[in-house]
Amino acid sequence: MRTTATGGAFISRFTAFFVTSHSETDEMKMPSPKKVSFHTLGCKLNFSETSTIARQFEEGGYATVRHAAEADICVVNTCAVTEHAEKKCRNLIRRLHREAPQAIIAVTGCYAQLRPEELAAIEGVDLVLGNRDKGTLFDRVAALGGKSGARIYSCDTAELTNFFAAFSTGERTRAFLKVQDGCDYKCSYCTIHYARGASRNMPVADLVQEAERIAASGRKEIVITGINTGDFGRTTGERFADLLTALDRVAGIERYRISSIEPNLLTDDIIGFCAASAKFQPHFHIPLQSGSDRILGLMRRRYRAETFRNRIETVRSSMPDAFIGVDVIVGFPGETDEDFRQTYDLLESLAPAYLHVFPFSERPGTPAADMPGRENPAGRAARCTLLDTSPSFLRGIRGTFGRGTVRRTRQWRHDVRIHRQLHTLQSPLRPNARERTVFRTAWPARRRRNGSGLTAGTMTPAMPYGKSRRHEYCPQNRPNRSNVRYPSSFSSNYMLYLP
């Protein structure tokens, strides 16, 4: 009996060991999911589209990784707004191939639409898909067995008629919701019409459903984005104001921003709605491009300098604390010193909170590329510098008094957070918040203090999000704040000085 019991126990242990070992062997034999990395250049619209493509891969069983060296597939969403943007795309693709020579590289976006052969000729590229085929990228990558030479899927501009619905999730605290695509304006310097096709949009009802999906994911803020956002409604007969009204009623979303809108499309109805809404933030990004009517005509812009001035004044009459960002192109063919002076004077009189200055970039196939009177690169750079470094454009901060807290964020920087809204300050980080990071100092850590006041230093506005040549990320906006420390702080009255 004892022998039998012992034998039975031995058999049981052997069976358990065999089953466990067999199970572990099966797990070891199970293939791990393929890994894919995503790389996006350009506008918020590109980010929303890349995020949607990434969700397709995740639903297909792929794992997302950040670094190309770990990836089996690299997806690149390109930009072609300037020559420099295209150069960055080419350099990125070559770097990805160096880091992961075995990885499949799929390239899409505006550069892929305009010049697919250039990208296909880069070593390591396997797929080049224009904007019409962007939504099929996952299926085409999944059908590839491995690297097998570049394949191109593209079409003519006239065939860009589909709408690839997209919104971003996961990567940022804000979600970018694509509401419109394409552009009918055909400005003389721009290739976007050729890369994106005619203006088109989703119906308002479908976009409300997209916003509800974003709210269900836990996002509280949506940035409304498109190629020519204010031109919404070309394909459905609806108005942009109708979209804003419908989105304002979506439960769970607390804040909206309009990413960019042309001055001639920023109507009184839109301004009035944003001023009255509790959700739509007083934040406007409005392209000017030039303050010279003559240059605006050569650019084929649909407004003149006085129209732009009127729109800014109308916004500020309804929302005195509105954040206003402006795009400017300098060195356009034929731009004289007097034309540039008109741009400078207009900006100085309007004093926007933020400037995004571009040197003119010749884009092949555009009318401006063949125009006479081009400024040399050094001249363009000099004019960029004049606008980029001019303190007189920073509205309302010379000699401004307030009550705030200075926190040391790095060895050589501080933030000033005010505790109440001051009508002279133009860049509220969160308009409805009790505290706002409004200014970032540029003085050394060993600050000079006279009594309770700060008596030295230069302050510039902190950005509501993103960064420019002049401004760095505000620490409160960083996704990862682990590297930001506040070892000391003090409250004081302060006065802001500019040289």
Side-chain angles (χ1 to χ4, degrees), residues 163-381:
F163 190 93
F164 177 44
F167 63 86
S168 66
T169 55
E171 305 88 353
R172 298 165 181 260
T173 56
R174 297 178 176 93
F176 298 149
L177 173 61
K178 176 183 174 180
V179 303
Q180 185 271 343
D181 202 350
C183 185
D184 294 341
Y185 277 18
K186 302 181 183 179
C187 296
S188 64
Y189 55 84
C190 186
T191 61
I192 297 304
H193 167 75
Y194 308 109
R196 288 282 183 170
S199 180
R200 55 202 186 276
N201 60 275
M202 287 176 65
V204 168
D206 293 347
L207 290 168
V208 168
Q209 293 179 3
E210 297 280 86
E212 290 171 346
R213 289 179 61 190
I214 293 172
S217 72
R219 297 291 178 278
K220 300 298 183 183
E221 180 169 337
I222 290 177
V223 179
I224 300 168
T225 186
I227 295 298
N228 189 355
T229 311
D231 201 34
F232 178 90
R234 288 281 180 175
T235 52
T236 60
E238 298 163 303
R239 301 182 308 148
F240 188 50
D242 298 333
L243 173 64
L244 303 186
T245 303
L247 291 176
D248 194 58
R249 294 194 290 263
V250 174
I253 300 299
E254 299 176 359
R255 296 177 299 278
Y256 289 97
R257 297 177 193 263
I258 301 171
S259 64
S260 179
I261 187 167
E262 294 286 316
N264 55 301
L265 298 175
L266 183 59
T267 64
D268 291 342
D269 289 345
I270 294 173
I271 295 171
F273 177 82
C274 292
S277 171
K279 292 185 177 182
F280 277 81
Q281 303 302 295
H283 177 279
F284 297 90
H285 191 136
I286 311 171
L288 168 63
Q289 312 307 13
S290 176
S292 165
D293 286 346
R294 188 180 73 85
I295 297 300
L296 288 172
L298 292 174
M299 289 178 170
R300 299 181 183 175
R301 301 291 288 170
R302 301 195 180 191
Y303 56 87
R304 293 298 178 259
E306 192 56 37
T307 303
F308 187 88
R309 180 190 296 278
N310 175 267
R311 294 297 82 197
I312 300 298
E313 291 174 351
T314 302
V315 169
R316 284 179 173 158
S317 66
S318 301
M319 294 165 277
D321 62 346
F323 178 95
I324 297 174
V326 175
D327 289 342
V328 181
I329 295 174
V330 298
F332 189 83
E335 183 183 69
T336 64
D337 290 342
E338 177 57 28
D339 294 322
F340 177 73
R341 171 53 61 182
Q342 291 176 19
T343 301
Y344 189 100
D345 290 344
L346 177 62
L347 291 169
E348 189 171 37
S349 65
L350 295 176
Y354 167 57
L355 281 180
H356 197 178
V357 185
F358 296 88
F360 171 72
S361 178
E362 295 90 349
R363 309 308 298 130
T366 61
D370 300 321
M371 288 182 180
R374 294 187 199 175
E375 180 67 79
N376 62 64
R380 297 177 202 172

Side-chain angles (χ1 to χ4, degrees), residues 16-52:
F17 172 78
F18 175 78
V19 171
T20 303
S21 301
H22 184 69
S23 180
E24 289 176 353
T25 304
D26 287 346
E27 289 180 4
M28 292 175 62
K29 289 181 179 179
M30 289 179 62
S32 59
K34 288 189 175 181
K35 301 174 182 177
V36 56
S37 65
F38 297 92
H39 309 268
T40 308
L41 299 99
C43 61
K44 297 178 181 67
L45 193 63
N46 271 6
F47 278 95
S48 70
E49 292 173 337
T50 301
S51 183
T52 301

Side-chain angles (χ1 to χ4, degrees), residues 1 26 58 119 125-126 137 368-369 378 389 447 456 462 489 493-494:
M1 294 290 294
D26 287 346
E58 290 169 1
L119 294 173
V125 172
D126 298 280
L137 189 147
T389 59
R447 54 190 176 270
S489 66
N493 296 313
Y494 60 85

